[in-house]
């Protein structure tokens, strides 16, 4: 795994953990849920946690790429979907918990739904079904693991009524682990299941960055709304080129009139089939096309 992809998983985990910490602080400081209906309590509690974890994880992509548009879109979208996910997931989990006579399986399933719905937000924002599936799997795994740790800590300190500090701190640690787990697994699953990606190999502000190709048509250009935004190169148009995926084949074509798109130093005037290890040059920016090892492709044009 490259440093760029490790950095994304790291950011996902850190932002998710911060979201969990903020949610814990809000609940402990401003909400008193002990005297209301258990389902209403879970809905409010889950909604608050989902809001902050979803918002922070939703802001990761824009923050990593220094893209204000993606940050401003991803953060509120993640918060909204996360809040809904928290309310739905924990309410369902509580119902299954009671039906099962107090077993932890029901609540664990609820935490998985919680993480699953948080995980789909980035894919919805980017209108990428593949990212939705990555987030669904990663969020569900992260929610299941992180939620189980949270429940384990809660049970361990549940009978220590004389030590409220320990109970409070255990909830804080559990929610930090929950947020970090959801964020980390969303990034990890995307890396494991990626179909192809580009790595910037030219020197400059983007050097070393990697961009997963997760859509049927991936637009590359200088505009913030592009799927792969490349700023700082005056020779790159707002919408410069696109990679079109057709089953297991990837085609590069220029969609601007710059006439300065190359594959392996050869100017492309018609769509060009990409192979693993091909060097793409757009303007002055060079990118390396990568495809996971072990996945065979038919490379006949």
């Amino acid at each position: 795994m490259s440093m760029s992809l490790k950095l994304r998983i790291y950011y996902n985990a850190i932002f998710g953990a911060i979201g969990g910490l903020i949610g814990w602080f809000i609940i402990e400081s401003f909400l008193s849920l002990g005297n209301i209906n258990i389902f209403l309590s879970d809905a409010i509690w889950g909604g608050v946690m989902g809001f902050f974890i979803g918002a922070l994880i939703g802001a990761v992509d824009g923050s990593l790429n220094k893209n204000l548009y993606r940050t401003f879109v991803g953060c509120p979208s993640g918060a909204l979907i996360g809040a809904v996910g928290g309310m739905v997931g924990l309410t369902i989990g509580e119902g299954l918990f009671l039906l099962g006579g107090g077993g932890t399986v029901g609540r664990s399933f609820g935490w998985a739904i919680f993480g699953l719905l948080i995980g789909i937000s980035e894919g919805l924002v980017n209108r990428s079904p593949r990212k939705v599936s990555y987030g669904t799997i990663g969020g569900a795994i992260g929610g299941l693991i992180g939620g189980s740790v949270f429940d384990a800590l809660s049970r361990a300190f549940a009978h220590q009524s004389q030590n409220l500090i320990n109970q409070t701190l255990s909830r804080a640690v559990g929610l930090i682990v929950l947020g970090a787990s959801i964020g980390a697994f969303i990034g990890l699953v995307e890396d494991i299941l990626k179909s192809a990606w580009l790595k910037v190999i030219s020197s400059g502000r983007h050097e070393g960055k990697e961009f997963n190709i997760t859509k049927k048509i991936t637009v590359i250009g200088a505009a913030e709304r592009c799927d792969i935004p490349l700023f700082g190169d005056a020779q790159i148009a707002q919408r410069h080129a696109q990679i079109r995926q057709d089953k297991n084949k990837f085609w590069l074509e220029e969609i601007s009139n710059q006439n300065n798109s190359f594959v392996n130093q050869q100017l492309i005037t018609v769509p060009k089939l990409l192979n693993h290890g091909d060097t793409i040059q757009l303007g002055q920016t060079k990118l390396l096309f990568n495809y996971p090892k072990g996945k065979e492709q038919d490379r006949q044009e």
Side-chain angles (χ1 to χ4, degrees), residues 202 206 220-223 226 228-241 254 256 258 260-261 281-287:
S202 56
H206 298 292
I220 309 169
C226 285
I228 299 179
L230 298 174
F231 314 125
D233 187 338
Q235 296 185 31
I236 293 182
Q238 293 292 294
R239 290 170 55 88
H240 192 101
E254 184 173 296
S256 67
Q258 299 294 100
N260 62 352
S261 300
Q281 181 171 342
L282 307 176
Q284 296 299 312
T285 303
K286 292 183 179 180
L287 309 101

Side-chain angles (χ1 to χ4, degrees), residues 273-291:
L273 180 65
L274 296 172
N275 292 283
H276 176 74
D278 281 348
T279 299
I280 299 170
Q281 181 171 342
L282 307 176
Q284 296 299 312
T285 303
K286 292 183 179 180
L287 309 101
L288 187 68
F289 177 78
N290 296 279
Y291 194 83

Side-chain angles (χ1 to χ4, degrees), residues 170-183:
S170 73
R171 287 193 292 270
V173 172
L175 292 173
I176 289 171
V177 171
L178 172 67
S181 182
I182 291 173

Side-chain angles (χ1 to χ4, degrees), residues 254-274:
E254 184 173 296
I255 55 176
S256 67
N257 58 359
Q258 299 294 100
N259 199 35
N260 62 352
S261 300
F262 301 83
V263 174
N264 298 330
Q265 300 182 333
Q266 294 184 350
L267 180 69
I268 62 169
T269 56
V270 296
K272 170 67 176 176
L273 180 65
L274 296 172

